[in-house]
Amino acid sequence: MMDNGNPARGGLPWLVLLVMSVLLQACASVSQTRDALRTAEACCDDFAAMSFPVIRSVNPSDTPVVVELNDRSPVYSFSTGKSYFSAYALSHGQPGSDLLLMFAPGRFNALNSGTFCPIVTYLNSQHEPIASEDLAIRWVSADKSRTGYWTAAQTVPAAASYLIVHTSDEMLSRQLSIDAVTENQTIMVGYAVATIPVTRAAGYRCLPVGEVQVILLG
């Protein structure tokens, strides 16, 4: 006798199979993204060979500089690990300014429960790296929900002439967490339906691709 597609018969329900398929595709996408980075050819042997378009100075009321890193972006073998990157030259007066990064899970990243986790490398006028403090990343949300974004800020070193946005092996081993996420959940109370707020943690693994907005203040 044929099953006729009854989800209650012939093995797992179709909904469970669909969820499993989505999860497997998500894991495959993350794995493929990381594999693509590992096998990608580095653009150059040193920082001086990179292209450095001038980054404009912007205020919070202006449109931020949007940096999008994907498998078509140039790759460099940093001391912190291999990474896609986007490099810029600083204008006069920008060193000493406050650098603000804003980023959130995008369409691809949300599917994979991940987000691009940036770090910034600064170079002096001789294209030599300058040590800088780690970015302090925090979640910003008006209602303690998944609707929000991460921010990371630091002061541009006075001797900096260039900046490079990328990620690192250490970052890719981390997970960014949102400690207090409040979402409405519908439950049955007897014969009635009630909606209650539920607060729980949410975690997003760091990915080597994604989008970040760059703002220079000062």
Side-chain angles (χ1 to χ4, degrees):
M1 181 180 294
M2 296 183 63
D3 190 3
N4 293 326
N6 187 341
R9 302 173 58 184
L12 291 173
W14 67 271
L15 182 59
V16 174
L17 293 174
L18 177 62
V19 172
M20 290 177 63
S21 175
V22 170
L23 291 175
L24 289 173
Q25 290 177 13
C27 292
S29 297
V30 172
S31 176
Q32 290 169 1
T33 300
R34 292 174 182 267
D35 288 343
L37 175 59
R38 280 192 290 267
T39 59
E41 184 177 351
C43 72
C44 35
D45 295 327
D46 54 55
F47 292 120
M50 292 181 177
S51 175
F52 293 94
V54 176
I55 187 170
R56 66 184 185 275
S57 182
V58 295
N59 297 312
S61 58
D62 296 331
T63 303
V65 176
V66 178
V67 176
E68 182 178 359
L69 299 180
N70 52 47
D71 58 5
R72 297 180 298 279
S73 300
V75 175
Y76 188 79
S77 295
F78 296 87
S79 60
T80 54
K82 201 174 185 182
S83 175
Y84 300 111
F85 73 89
S86 190
Y88 300 91
L90 294 170
S91 300
H92 177 72
Q94 289 179 335
S97 301
D98 289 328
L99 177 76
L100 176 65
L101 304 180
M102 301 169 59
F103 55 101
R107 180 179 301 176
F108 169 81
N109 293 344
L111 174 65
N112 296 284
S113 298
T115 186
F116 172 65
C117 298
I119 66 172
V120 178
T121 290
Y122 297 97
L123 309 177
N124 62 19
S125 59
Q126 286 75 46
H127 298 93
E128 299 167 337
I130 302 172
S132 61
E133 297 180 358
D134 291 337
L135 290 163
I137 299 174
R138 68 185 186 92
W139 178 253
V140 178
S141 176
D143 55 359
K144 294 184 179 181
S145 72
R146 292 177 190 264
T147 303
Y149 56 91
W150 281 284
T151 64
Q154 63 183 184
T155 300
V156 179
S161 293
Y162 308 94
L163 69 82
I164 307 171
V165 179
H166 60 107
T167 190
S168 66
D169 288 345
E170 191 277 330
M171 271 293 196
L172 294 179
S173 68
R174 292 174 54 186
Q175 176 174 284
L176 294 188
S177 297
I178 306 171
D179 294 331
V181 176
T182 302
E183 296 177 330
N184 290 330
Q185 181 172 314
T186 301
I187 62 172
M188 292 293 297
V189 181
Y191 293 100
V193 177
T195 301
I196 61 173
V198 176
T199 301
R200 57 189 175 184
Y204 296 85
R205 77 174 90 182
C206 288
L207 301 179
V209 295
E211 184 178 287
V212 59
Q213 298 183 14
V214 180
I215 300 175
L216 283 168
L217 307 172

